[in-house]
Amino acid sequence: MSLRFCANISWLFAELPEYPRRLQAAASAGFRAVEAAWLYDTDPGDLRRVKEQAGLEIALINTPPGDLKHGELGLGAVPGRELEFRQGLTQAIHYAKALDCKRIHLMAGRVPAGAQRAAVAMEMEATFVQNLRHAADMLAKEGILGLIEPINTRITDPQYFLNSPHQAYSLLHVAAAILQKVDRPNIKLQLDVYHWQIMDGNLTMNIQKYFPLIGKRKKNLVPLTGHVQVAQVPGRHEPDSAGEVSFPYLFSLLEELGYDGYVGCEYKPL
């Protein structure tokens, strides 16, 4: 099974200020699908018209980040912000339905400023689990898959709450344990190779171990397949740029495992 790639237009074609133009640029470059973080400053009707004219699929969008100017990056795990998370989820579902998008990344958010991660971890996890269960019920009505994504705290975002794919053997081992507690088939793990390599390495074993939470194994049907994103380490550039990850090998591994979702190109172009 050959992998399918989609352009992350929050990172690619960034020289074009308007998302409709980035959609057109992605199609001109040969992509048949795109993903994006936040499209909420663009009318969904305009996006839909362009994506249909270009023959594109929208593979993934994120829930709104909150107030970026004040350092927010998602609200899913932030205590006291449950109402705003749910309002953002409603907006994300509205856009996803308008764009026929079947995957939404449910952003966890950051450890509050001035708080120690260890001191707030249990409360943030409980908040995240509650919000994910609510999201699962909302998304199930629309046939949309919810995703959670560990983001590395060593380079990208030291305060991001969800920072490792592992079970709760240590402070890093949280994402799989959260999915187990949520216990909903339409909430899955989003694999970003860049973040996983920085936080844990051991990519082959980790992908094999957690693949049931990401995609589907051969002969094991899952309602929807999750999502994979790629960028070379450490520069976060193209997968075929110089770096420490062998992407031809990892792509072969994903094909061997039967992954049939999209591979998102979320990198800084050289």
Side-chain angles (χ1 to χ4, degrees):
M1 180 179 297
S2 298
L3 297 179
R4 300 179 297 159
F5 293 84
C6 65
N8 187 306
I9 58 173
S10 296
W11 291 75
L12 306 186
F13 314 108
E15 68 277 8
L16 302 173
E18 300 172 350
Y19 279 114
R21 293 180 62 193
R22 295 188 196 183
L23 288 169
Q24 294 168 336
S28 297
F31 287 99
R32 300 271 60 86
V34 303
E35 63 181 40
W38 309 298
L39 299 166
Y40 302 112
D41 59 353
T42 307
D43 181 80
D46 292 340
L47 292 168
R48 183 181 182 91
R49 282 191 294 274
V50 175
K51 78 107 177 174
E52 290 180 347
Q53 291 169 359
L56 289 170
E57 179 180 346
I58 308 297
L60 172 76
I61 61 173
N62 292 359
T63 50
D67 191 340
L68 285 170
K69 294 180 180 179
H70 287 83
E72 294 179 343
L73 194 66
L75 300 172
V78 182
R81 306 295 295 278
E82 291 86 350
L83 177 60
E84 291 157 280
F85 169 79
R86 295 181 182 194
Q87 291 171 338
L89 174 65
T90 299
Q91 184 181 24
I93 291 173
H94 172 69
Y95 269 73
K97 290 174 64 178
L99 299 172
D100 296 323
C101 175
K102 297 299 182 183
R103 295 167 187 82
I104 296 177
H105 169 205
L106 306 164
M107 299 199 72
R110 290 170 168 153
V111 175
Q116 294 295 318
R117 181 180 294 272
V120 299
M122 291 184 63
E123 183 183 10
M124 292 190 73
E125 180 177 314
T127 299
F128 201 25
V129 169
Q130 178 186 18
N131 280 334
L132 290 175
R133 286 174 176 165
H134 171 81
D137 293 341
M138 294 286 291
L139 296 173
K141 299 174 184 178
E142 309 296 343
I144 297 173
L145 186 71
L147 300 166
I148 64 172
E149 178 190 12
I151 293 176
N152 84 82
T153 52
R154 291 178 174 157
I155 297 176
T156 300
D157 193 333
Q159 292 300 106
Y160 202 76
F161 169 68
L162 190 64
N163 63 1
S164 172
H166 295 292
Q167 293 180 346
Y169 301 131
S170 71
L171 288 177
L172 296 179
H173 299 169
V174 61
I178 287 174
L179 287 176
Q180 185 176 23
K181 291 178 181 179
V182 173
D183 193 25
R184 297 289 194 278
N186 64 329
I187 304 293
K188 287 189 172 293
L189 185 61
Q190 182 168 317
L191 161 61
D192 189 311
V193 172
Y194 175 77
H195 296 307
W196 283 31
Q197 171 67 5
I198 290 170
M199 291 304 294
D200 293 287
N202 195 25
L203 288 172
T204 298
M205 296 301 294
N206 282 336
I207 291 172
Q208 290 175 336
K209 180 176 183 178
Y210 296 109
F211 189 76
L213 302 179
I214 300 164
K216 64 180 182 182
R217 293 191 183 277
K218 296 174 182 178
K219 300 181 182 179
N220 181 22
L221 297 178
V222 174
L224 277 172
T225 301
H227 198 66
V228 172
Q229 291 174 324
V230 294
Q232 186 56 276
V233 181
R236 203 167 190 176
H237 300 306
E238 289 87 343
D240 62 350
S241 62
E244 62 194 58
V245 178
S246 172
F247 279 98
Y249 168 79
L250 288 184
F251 291 155
S252 295
L253 175 63
L254 289 170
E255 290 176 346
E256 180 183 333
L257 289 170
Y259 178 71
D260 62 357
Y262 279 105
V263 176
C265 298
E266 188 184 52
Y267 54 76
K268 297 179 288 187
L270 288 172

